[in-house]
Structure formats: C-alpha cells, structure tokens
Amino acid sequence: MTLPVIPLSTVRHHHLARHRLCEAPTGLGKAGDLHQMLQDLTFVQLDSINTVARAHHMILHARRTNYRPKALDKLLADRLVFEHWTHDASVIDMDNFGHWRLKFARDAANLRVRYKNWHRDGFEERFATVLKRISDYGPCCSADVGEDEKKGSGGWWDWHPSKTALEYLWRAGELSVTRREGFRKFYDLTERVIPPEHLNQRFTPEETIDHACTTAMDCLGFATSGELAAFWDIITPAEARDWCAAQLAAGDLIEVMLDTAQGKPRRSFARPDVLDVPLMEPTKRVRILSPFDPALRDRKRTERLFGFHYRIEVFVPEAKRQYGYYVFPVMEGDRMIGRIDMKANRAQDVMSVRAFWPERGVRMGSGRIKALETAIARSAALAGTTNLEFAKGWLR
C-alpha cells in the first residue's frame, strides 16, 4: 500500500508543538509552571559549558523568558525532578524514577567493564568505604573522598578510584544527586533523596519498555523505532522494534511517510489520531537555542526537519573551526535562520557578540535584525549581563 506523504510544514509544526516551541514564552518560568514544562519535555540535558548559560538553563529560558536558574534549583530541592542519565546527564521529571531501575541494573553490569577500560582500576574496592562515609556523615562530592589516592594526570577521564566509585554508585542507583554547588554534584544515599512513593515503585521490564516508547512517541509525534529507543536511552533498539511491531499489529500505531527538507520521504510510526490533534500556530519569536535543546539534539532529525546542519566544534582545533567554539542555533517561528557566536563576560558586565551567520536564503532585513538583537538582550539577562557589545562586521 502506498502511504500518503505528510507535508514537511505539518511534521515540523507537530515537532515544535510537542517541544513547547510554538507558543510565546510568556509563563512564570517557576514553581508549577516550570514543573509542567519539565513534565511536558520529560527531561532537559545538563551541560557544564557556561559560555552564555548552561544548556539546561538555556533550554528552559527559550520557552519561558522569565525563567532564572534558581527556579530549577527549587524543583530539585523539592524533589519534583531528579538527575540521572538519558542519552547524557539530564534533569528528569520525578514520575519517571521507578522506570530508571531497569537502567540502574543494566548500567551496574555494563559500567564495571567500561570504567575499568576508561578510568583506572580499583574503584570497586572503594564502594563500601564511599557508602559508609555518606551514610555516617551525609552528602559529599568527589573532592571529599579519595584524599589518600593518587590523582593521576588530571585529565577529565583520569578519575581517582573513589571518584569513579561515586559515579558508578550513582549510575547504578545506590546514590542520587541531592544538590549542586556551581556544577559540582553532591551525592547522598538514594533512600534519603527520592520520595518514598517513587523510591518504592517497581515495574517489570515490559512495563518500562512500554513507558519509554509511549512517552517518547508522545514527545516526538512521528518516530522510527530507533528514534524511540534513543529518546530515553534506557531500552535497546530491539526492544523498541518489538514494541512498534506489537503496537502496529494492535492498531495503536500506524505507518506514515514524512516529507523531509531533502525531499526524500521517510517512513515512520505515529498514533492513528496524530493529525487530529489541534495545534497553535508557531509564534514568530526569534529564539537563541542551546545546541542541546531537545528539539535539536538529534542532529540527523534536525537536518531532515529544518535542513539545518549543526555540529559542536568544542573539540575541533580553533584553526579548523567553521564557525566557533560554542555556537548557538537561532530559530524564528518554525524556521532555523542561522547561528550565533556570543559570550557573556560577567566581569565586565557585557554580552559580546562575535558573529551571526544567516542560513542560506535568509535575508537579514531591519525587522529581523531588531528581533535578533532583542533575543540577544534576553539571553544577556539570563546570563546576568546588562550591556551588549557587537564586534565589527558581526553580521556575516
């Protein structure tokens, strides 16, 4: 049977609506409003680079201009969210915690081998010591353990055994992050961090697979089995394929063909009523996004949806970079219009804009430039700077 092709504009619209990027970012950005946002997104990725603001703060600020970092700290303190791994370190809505036990068990097995190959050996012998130290004296960070251990080369991969033990016990679910100071994690026993109603939940692997695929489909709208597996990264591609096959047979999924920016239709799955869901029209707001925004983090999907090729150049030697160290994607409405290189100089109270590269076919008229400058000013407010400084020839 030949499937009709869903137009790219419709696919893009659904994608942005489900990632809360169609509406104007005018909510409170704190308390219940922020918690609802995190429940809808399900998680936001953490990242340490603070060129303007850290990734998780930029993700939330793009959807709520009034958002400030202390609001997320409050959700963490109130135990409405927890920190763990999806595809990377993330802040996750607490309602998902019970399903992370499958990931804890799998990570506990897999990371013993990986950490031995990646970090130094000897961390397993530190488990009991680290757990007793936290049990007796309370939360600690990596600087509080392993005082007598050789620190090695100092490279980010060269953890001393007790630091590796802390990270392993966190990934295995025995410890949880109770707070951060700066970007440094403080760990406590999981039973002292996670609320009992979530701590005591137990699900079968089948229930967790269903939860992972269902929530991923709800957030993506249209997806392949591989995209469903990669969304949370707590189940395997084979488990996602089997789930899709069963849902398809039961009539709870349909197959669809999606138009792409490259003009090559792509087969995906969707709910039977996906096109019946009413959507608001995307606002024309210009937004500066984190490179790790959930709407963009799947780089291949981003290229299919927006024709926007983006790669992080943090690890690229400066002379070989096409754009810059940490360049931010810029969206207008439902279109990617360019990327911007800017940095908050907090000591001088200045947001320095080095360059903006418009996408091919994007004309930077006076109205669009003004909207971009307004977006830059909003990002400056998030970063805690009040003055803007534009390099000569910044508009490429």
Side-chain angles (χ1 to χ4, degrees):
M1 180 180 68
T2 302
L3 300 172
V5 178
I6 299 174
L8 179 58
S9 60
T10 301
V11 179
R12 193 182 286 174
H13 193 168
H14 275 268
H15 178 82
L16 294 177
R18 290 162 189 267
H19 285 93
R20 300 293 297 273
L21 285 172
C22 280
E23 65 209 70
T26 54
L28 293 174
K30 60 183 179 180
D33 176 63
L34 182 62
H35 186 215
Q36 184 62 58
M37 178 67 67
L38 265 161
Q39 287 181 310
D40 291 345
L41 296 177
T42 65
F43 69 90
V44 293
Q45 182 175 336
L46 294 160
D47 189 69
S48 62
I49 296 176
N50 200 17
T51 305
V52 169
R54 292 192 170 101
H56 40 295
H57 299 316
M58 291 196 72
I59 291 167
L60 295 169
H61 183 257
R63 293 156 174 82
R64 289 291 184 264
T65 304
N66 292 322
Y67 168 82
R68 293 297 181 268
K70 286 185 179 180
L72 183 58
D73 293 341
K74 183 70 164 56
L75 291 190
L76 286 161
D78 290 346
R79 307 309 184 204
L80 295 173
V81 295
F82 70 102
E83 284 194 30
H84 214 269
W85 277 71
T86 55
H87 65 293
D88 210 321
S90 300
V91 174
I92 308 161
D93 183 65
M94 188 63 78
D95 285 346
N96 296 286
F97 181 83
H99 291 289
W100 248 247
R101 292 196 175 279
L102 179 63
K103 188 170 183 65
F104 296 157
R106 290 175 173 180
D107 281 356
N110 296 334
L111 291 180
R112 282 183 184 261
V113 176
R114 285 179 55 194
Y115 278 8
K116 284 180 181 178
N117 293 333
W118 188 18
H119 307 295
R120 283 177 288 155
D121 205 355
F123 66 93
E124 293 164 298
E125 288 76 17
R126 300 287 175 165
F127 289 167
T129 302
V130 165
L131 287 170
K132 180 170 174 52
R133 191 253 182 243
I134 294 173
S135 178
D136 292 348
Y137 300 104
C140 76
C141 66
S142 59
D144 298 325
V145 297
E147 295 91 339
D148 59 339
E149 297 171 20
K150 184 179 179 181
K151 298 301 189 286
S153 68
W156 67 270
W157 66 91
D158 194 9
W159 299 348
H160 59 72
S162 290
K163 174 177 171 57
T164 308
L166 273 176
E167 287 288 312
Y168 176 88
L169 291 167
W170 172 53
R171 294 287 297 272
E174 294 192 53
L175 298 178
S176 290
V177 175
T178 186
R179 70 180 190 276
R180 283 183 183 258
E181 293 181 7
F183 202 64
R184 175 171 284 179
K185 296 194 293 287
F186 281 75
Y187 306 85
D188 201 353
L189 302 178
T190 291
E191 58 264 31
R192 298 202 296 223
V193 175
I194 305 301
E197 64 270 27
H198 299 289
L199 180 69
N200 297 324
Q201 280 186 312
R202 295 294 184 275
F203 296 100
T204 66
E206 292 74 23
E207 288 172 324
T208 292
I209 292 165
D210 182 67
H211 173 81
C213 290
T214 298
T215 51
M217 182 61 74
D218 289 344
C219 285
L220 295 175
F222 306 95
T224 65
S225 63
E227 288 170 333
L228 295 180
F231 182 85
W232 287 112
D233 197 29
I234 61 174
I235 64 173
T236 67
E239 288 167 340
R241 282 196 301 272
D242 290 345
W243 182 87
C244 287
Q247 293 280 302
L248 192 64
D252 294 324
L253 283 184
I254 59 172
E255 288 190 288
V256 294
M257 296 298 290
L258 310 179
D259 193 13
T260 67
Q262 295 74 33
K264 184 179 180 181
R266 179 176 174 82
R267 186 182 292 265
S268 290
F269 296 106
R271 294 297 187 191
D273 62 348
V274 63
L275 296 180
D276 298 331
V277 177
L279 301 175
M280 69 170 62
E281 285 299 313
T283 175
K284 295 300 183 183
R285 173 73 67 103
V286 171
R287 308 179 202 238
I288 297 171
L289 302 179
S290 163
F292 301 111
D293 193 284
L296 304 178
R297 71 174 179 86
D298 183 334
R299 306 297 186 215
K300 292 182 179 179
R301 185 179 174 99
T302 296
E303 289 187 42
R304 289 194 299 271
L305 282 171
F306 302 102
F308 185 71
H309 178 84
Y310 182 90
R311 297 293 182 270
I312 288 282
E313 296 186 284
V314 168
F315 302 110
V316 177
E318 185 172 2
K320 295 185 178 180
R321 289 176 189 149
Q322 183 178 1
Y323 297 106
Y325 171 77
Y326 198 80
V327 172
F328 301 94
V330 181
M331 174 179 284
E332 180 187 58
D334 64 353
R335 182 184 185 187
M336 302 305 301
I337 63 168
R339 62 201 81 203
I340 190 166
D341 185 2
M342 62 186 195
K343 180 178 175 61
N345 188 333
R346 294 172 180 84
Q348 275 72 51
D349 192 25
V350 169
M351 177 67 76
S352 298
V353 180
R354 298 166 179 166
F356 173 78
W357 296 267
E359 284 291 280
R360 181 179 298 177
V362 172
R363 192 179 74 84
M364 295 303 294
S366 60
R368 185 168 276 153
I369 292 172
K370 183 178 180 180
L372 175 59
E373 289 172 345
T374 300
I376 294 167
R378 292 191 191 103
S379 293
L382 174 66
T385 58
T386 54
N387 300 301
L388 304 181
E389 179 182 82
F390 293 87
K392 184 178 180 180
W394 71 278
L395 195 58
R396 301 298 173 87

